[in-house]
Amino acid sequence: MPLWAIALVIVAGCIIAGFLGVASTARGKVPQYSPPGDASAPTIPSPMPLAVFIGDSYTQGVGGGGVQWPALVGQAQGWDVENLGLGGTGYIRTSDVNGCGRAYCANYGEAIDEIVGSPSYILVSGGRNDLGLPIADVSAAADALFGTLRARYPNAEIFAIAPWFDDDPPPTDPADFTAAIQTAALQHGAVFLDTGQPLLGRSDLIAEDGLHPDAAGYQALADAVDAALDPALAP
């Protein structure tokens, strides 16, 4: 065989051997993922604490054009809100289609059964529909309500708010009524929030029906609740 042919065979063999070596190395290599230098672990937001609101038409938001003070408070406090407010209801009073738009609307004690989930906060606001009923009966109903809430939700922070009235003075003195609610709440470890009467003398905050707050009125109620809640929630 000529020398040039022998040299050609040797060169070809070297090229083939080199190729096979590279291929073998590639087959045995495990791909490794290198994240970008600025990559970081995704942040999963913590769920917002659940707050349940029980009350009457003021809690429901009648007259506000979709604005509800519980929703406003929830936004300010960072809560997920469940609003169980129903018009015409109270600690004792139930309601119907004329008051709440349904055939039957439960009083506050019965509304407990409508709570879904495990609330961190429970706010009970209202009672004006019970005015005129015997104070002893209201006191007993409030005591049963807060007692049941405490038993079912021992770790929840429970708050009670005295009934609000519109821009006119209350038709009767609600002092004894308010004291009965406050006493019942405190007996079961709830906190009584003194929010005053934010709508008194403020006809500019009342809806056209002359009874319920308008959107600005509900904002005023929310501001009053937030002002009372902030020190109560302070660590």
Side-chain angles (χ1 to χ4, degrees):
M1 179 182 294
L3 292 176
W4 63 267
I6 295 173
L8 183 61
V9 170
I10 293 173
V11 171
C14 291
I15 293 174
I16 293 172
F19 174 78
L20 293 175
V22 172
S24 176
T25 301
R27 284 194 300 270
K29 191 174 183 179
V30 178
Q32 299 293 323
Y33 171 71
S34 298
D38 59 348
S40 59
T43 300
I44 301 176
S46 301
M48 294 188 296
L50 175 62
V52 173
F53 292 76
I54 298 174
D56 53 24
S57 58
Y58 275 37
T59 301
Q60 187 179 6
V62 174
V67 176
Q68 302 173 332
W69 71 264
L72 296 173
V73 170
Q75 292 172 6
Q77 301 293 337
W79 295 343
D80 185 17
V81 170
E82 180 182 359
N83 189 346
L84 300 181
L86 291 170
T89 61
Y91 287 89
I92 296 176
R93 298 281 192 191
T94 60
S95 189
D96 56 21
V97 66
N98 295 319
C100 63
R102 304 180 189 176
Y104 178 80
C105 289
N107 60 32
Y108 299 167
E110 296 169 330
I112 296 176
D113 294 332
E114 302 297 323
I115 297 176
V116 177
S118 299
S120 299
Y121 305 97
I122 303 173
L123 287 84
V124 182
S125 171
R128 60 180 290 161
N129 294 311
D130 294 318
L131 284 176
L133 297 176
I135 294 296
D137 293 346
V138 175
S139 178
D143 182 73
L145 168 72
F146 291 109
T148 301
L149 286 174
R150 177 55 65 207
R152 291 193 187 182
Y153 306 103
N155 297 320
E157 294 193 57
I158 303 172
F159 301 93
I161 303 174
W164 290 311
F165 299 92
D166 50 59
D167 57 319
D168 296 322
T172 58
D173 184 1
D176 290 342
F177 183 93
T178 298
I181 295 174
Q182 182 176 10
T183 299
L186 295 177
Q187 285 178 342
H188 297 284
V191 176
F192 183 81
L193 300 178
D194 186 2
T195 59
Q197 294 295 328
L199 305 178
L200 182 61
R202 295 293 305 274
S203 59
D204 57 313
L205 300 180
I206 303 300
E208 293 182 358
D209 65 4
L211 177 62
H212 296 93
D214 58 13
Y218 282 120
Q219 182 65 65
L221 296 183
D223 291 343
V225 173
D226 283 326
L229 270 175
D230 287 342
L233 295 174

